Amino acid sequence: MKKYLYIFRAEMMSALQYFSNLFSGFIGYFIIIFILLNLWNYIYDDPTELINGYTKTQMIWYVIITEILWKIFNGRKFCRQICNDVKGGNIAYNMNKPYSYIGYVLSSHLGEGLVKTVAYVAVGMILGKIFLGTFPSHSVSSLMIVFLSGLLAVIIDALCIIFISLISFYIEDAHPLYWLYSKMILILGTMFPVEFFPTALQGIIAMTPIYVICYGPAKLFVDFSMDSAIHIIIFQILYVLVAYALCLALYRKGVRKLNVNGG
Amino acid sequence: MLTAVKNQIKVTFISVKYALMREMLNKTTFLMNVIFMILNNASFILQWVVIYSLKSDVGGYSFGQVLLLWGTAASTFGFAHFFFKKSFSLSDAITNGKLDSYLVQPKNVLISAITSDVEPSAIGDLIYGVIMLIVSGLTIPKVLLFILFTISGGITMTSFAVILASLSFWFGRADSVADTGNGMITHFATYPDGIFHGISKIILYTIIPAGIINYIPVSVMTTFDVRLTLLVLAITVGMTALAFLFFYRGLRRYSSSNLMIAKI
């Protein structure tokens, strides 16, 4: 575990060195929130109106949180890194190291993610305060549970991306699969809470990663209840275990057919 | 003059043709890129189905018009990224001194630099644009306008990217500015302009040309207006001239990094 903490810290320090790179991301984040703010302002005739159980303020806070998560995920870069490791043969250098490749990429991704988390949470809260004027009411313990749920969401998303990227062992480029996955998360997860979809679809979405990656933490932030918190956290822990086991199985099977040429 | 332009167009098409042939060497990957990009774009329909289940019109657009908005956005994006892919990473070429090989070619430096590679997935965007056009209702004038606005929008988008990338000649690393600016167009262009008000709406028709690339074309394809069509074409010409002006003014400040690269 110590070695993974070391990788985590090294990546976090590296991300801090390039902190200024985050500024362009802040602009992109602001634009998305600005567009969605205008969209929901248009859809809600009255700020007190309830649509599928959400007020306008709750809806905008929901997208502020899911967009923070989306920015932290940074899946495109992460997927590209693992795909290139597999395609380019770099993965061979990691095979004889005294750590698991999955543990290595996961801890380095989380190290970078932590810096982003601090930065984007600060920006998101400032934007929410400017645009909406109020915060959802929370106690310290409920905020800590929301944070834990967010952390588990980032880990699950990272494991899903690792799994997709490792498919590169079998097909040359797994990027197109990542596009579909990311769009599924973006549209079914970050834009709307599960309650906005037809009843038949809600049950299906509740079984997919969307529920634990986007809906869970955002729902807990805008409308916290201990019952839903316990339900979401247990579901997230189960997802982490299953996703990790699947990644490990795919990796072990994939490296057996790895063929690296050159030196 | 006319012969020079004809030759330049010929060279551009040859360059694009060879870049495409290079990408098609692995047919499975090429086809996957195209097909998955279509599916990727199509997934956004679900977003609009949900939004239209809440309200019958969004920003004055019907569901069909939003599909057309998406179709035009995808086709202009596809056109720009297929033919002029390198304009979206031009900032990197300028900063790292990678323009040397284009400077010694007996053709236009800017055009040679931005047409030296193609994005295979952009074909998926172009196909998706056509599918959305068909879904939103097909008429001959609409098809002709769609082709015209795909080309004009693609050129405007490319010009905007070149102008932003050219800032690297003066300010060094401007790639994040260029990426943010290019991303802004795509984000705004896929939402109806009727949801924006005041200063943000003015910006969308000036500083961020999403209105010129997408909103006016959709409006013209819905209700034909010759003045608006000419306005779009005039702005396209103006933006293109501005892009050349920025690039060639900046090129005077360019310095090579003596980078050794193989161009295959």
Side-chain angles (χ1 to χ4, degrees):
Chain A
M1 196 63 192
K2 208 172 160 189
K3 54 201 169 193
Y4 298 113
L5 279 174
Y6 186 82
I7 297 165
F8 172 85
R9 206 174 58 215
E11 201 58 43
M12 191 180 74
M13 297 308 286
S14 167
L16 280 171
Q17 293 292 316
Y18 298 101
F19 190 78
S20 58
N21 285 359
L22 289 178
F23 284 104
S24 60
F26 293 159
I27 299 170
Y29 177 74
F30 169 79
I31 289 163
I32 288 289
I33 297 300
F34 179 75
I35 291 172
L36 294 175
L37 176 80
N38 279 279
L39 181 68
W40 289 111
N41 274 337
Y42 190 89
I43 290 171
Y44 278 88
D45 295 320
D46 171 5
T48 57
E49 185 187 354
L50 273 179
I51 298 181
N52 296 318
Y54 289 81
T55 62
K56 187 174 87 175
T57 308
Q58 281 180 317
M59 239 353 271
I60 294 165
W61 270 117
Y62 183 90
V63 292
I64 285 175
I65 298 299
T66 53
E67 289 294 337
I68 287 175
L69 288 166
W70 180 254
K71 284 288 181 184
I72 297 167
F73 296 157
N74 196 16
R76 185 191 291 258
K77 186 186 157 202
F78 190 43
C79 177
R80 192 189 310 132
Q81 178 202 334
I82 302 169
C83 285
N84 288 345
D85 276 354
V86 176
K87 277 196 306 184
N90 269 347
I91 203 162
Y93 292 108
N94 290 282
M95 284 162 66
N96 59 356
K97 297 274 187 341
Y99 53 65
S100 132
Y101 177 74
I102 295 166
Y104 164 72
V105 286
L106 184 63
S107 44
S108 75
H109 182 65
L110 292 179
E112 190 189 348
L114 182 68
V115 176
K116 282 187 170 175
T117 305
V118 174
Y120 278 102
V121 166
V123 172
M125 293 303 120
I126 292 168
L127 283 183
K129 182 71 182 162
I130 293 169
F131 289 143
L132 303 165
T134 55
F135 289 109
S137 60
H138 274 285
S139 63
V140 176
S141 59
S142 67
L143 271 181
M144 284 175 75
I145 293 172
V146 174
F147 184 78
L148 173 67
S149 176
L151 175 68
L152 288 168
V154 175
I155 293 173
I156 297 165
D157 178 73
L159 288 170
C160 289
I161 294 172
I162 293 170
F163 183 83
I164 291 168
S165 310
L166 289 178
I167 297 174
S168 294
F169 279 123
Y170 301 93
I171 56 173
E172 193 182 293
D173 191 358
H175 272 105
L177 296 175
Y178 168 72
W179 295 342
L180 278 189
Y181 166 79
S182 66
K183 286 302 168 296
M184 189 182 78
I185 296 290
L186 186 69
I187 294 159
L188 300 178
T190 64
M191 297 281 183
F192 314 100
V194 175
E195 294 87 346
F196 277 65
F197 295 99
T199 321
L201 204 58
Q202 285 180 24
I204 299 167
I205 294 173
M207 300 303 291
T208 64
I210 299 161
Y211 186 81
V212 283
I213 289 174
C214 291
Y215 177 79
K219 173 73 177 174
L220 290 181
F221 186 78
V222 298
D223 187 17
F224 186 86
S225 79
M226 196 45 89
D227 282 349
S228 53
I230 292 168
H231 174 79
I232 288 165
I233 300 279
I234 289 174
F235 212 34
Q236 285 183 314
I237 292 169
L238 283 175
Y239 244 101
V240 170
L241 296 174
V242 172
Y244 183 74
L246 287 173
C247 286
L248 208 59
L250 186 63
Y251 175 78
R252 283 181 181 160
K253 207 164 183 289
V255 286
R256 267 187 240 140
K257 70 187 289 294
L258 185 69
N259 191 357
V260 179
N261 298 310
Chain B
M1 173 72 180
L2 206 62
T3 316
V5 171
K6 242 168 82 178
N7 282 340
Q8 182 65 56
I9 292 170
K10 205 172 155 189
V11 169
T12 302
F13 273 103
I14 290 170
S15 172
V16 169
K17 183 181 148 192
Y18 283 110
L20 180 63
M21 283 165 71
R22 201 168 54 230
E23 290 294 338
M24 285 176 80
L25 281 174
N26 189 331
K27 285 197 174 58
T28 313
T29 306
F30 176 81
L31 282 174
M32 267 183 75
N33 272 297
V34 173
I35 293 166
F36 276 71
M37 183 50 80
I38 296 171
L39 293 174
N40 174 54
N41 289 338
S43 58
F44 281 97
I45 293 176
L46 192 59
Q47 175 196 351
W48 289 101
V49 169
V50 174
I51 292 173
Y52 275 91
S53 71
L54 305 173
K55 210 165 175 102
S56 56
D57 91 286
V58 179
Y61 281 57
S62 66
F63 185 65
Q65 280 175 306
V66 164
L67 293 184
L68 190 58
L69 185 79
W70 262 89
T72 319
S75 63
T76 49
F77 184 92
F79 184 87
H81 281 76
F82 182 74
F83 288 102
F84 310 112
K85 180 188 173 184
K86 286 283 183 177
S87 61
F88 299 93
S89 57
L90 189 61
S91 180
D92 173 61
I94 295 166
T95 318
N96 294 317
K98 293 177 187 169
L99 290 178
D100 297 14
S101 55
Y102 306 108
L103 290 170
V104 292
Q105 287 175 14
K107 291 289 166 201
N108 187 286
V109 180
L110 176 60
I111 295 176
S112 301
I114 64 177
T115 57
S116 59
D117 201 2
V118 295
E119 178 60 61
S121 63
I123 297 173
D125 287 310
L126 281 165
I127 295 171
Y128 182 74
V130 175
I131 295 170
M132 287 300 100
L133 174 71
I134 296 167
V135 172
S136 71
L138 214 56
T139 59
I140 291 170
K142 206 167 158 185
V143 172
L144 295 175
L145 285 170
F146 185 82
I147 295 167
L148 178 72
F149 289 132
T150 294
I151 296 168
S152 70
I155 291 172
T156 306
M157 195 180 262
T158 306
S159 304
F160 187 69
V162 169
I163 292 169
L164 291 179
S166 298
L167 295 177
S168 291
F169 286 121
W170 288 276
F171 306 111
R173 292 212 74 87
D175 48 350
S176 59
V177 177
D179 288 346
T180 307
N182 295 327
M184 270 187 204
I185 294 187
T186 317
H187 284 315
F188 280 111
T190 48
Y191 286 87
D193 58 335
I195 64 169
F196 303 107
H197 304 282
I199 188 106
S200 52
K201 198 158 187 171
I202 297 170
I203 289 172
L204 290 179
Y205 282 90
T206 49
I207 302 168
I208 307 166
I212 310 303
I213 293 170
N214 229 19
Y215 300 146
I216 296 178
V218 170
S219 160
V220 172
M221 279 188 272
T222 310
T223 317
F224 182 70
D225 186 327
V226 71
R227 281 177 304 176
L228 286 177
T229 309
L230 291 174
L231 177 73
V232 170
L233 297 179
I235 292 173
T236 303
V237 172
M239 284 284 285
T240 310
L242 212 58
F244 274 97
L245 184 74
F246 261 77
F247 182 81
Y248 278 97
R249 274 285 163 88
L251 197 59
R252 293 179 197 164
R253 304 169 61 90
Y254 174 74
S255 56
S256 165
S257 64
N258 286 328
L259 188 69
M260 297 279 284
I261 48 169
K263 283 184 59 63
I264 303 159

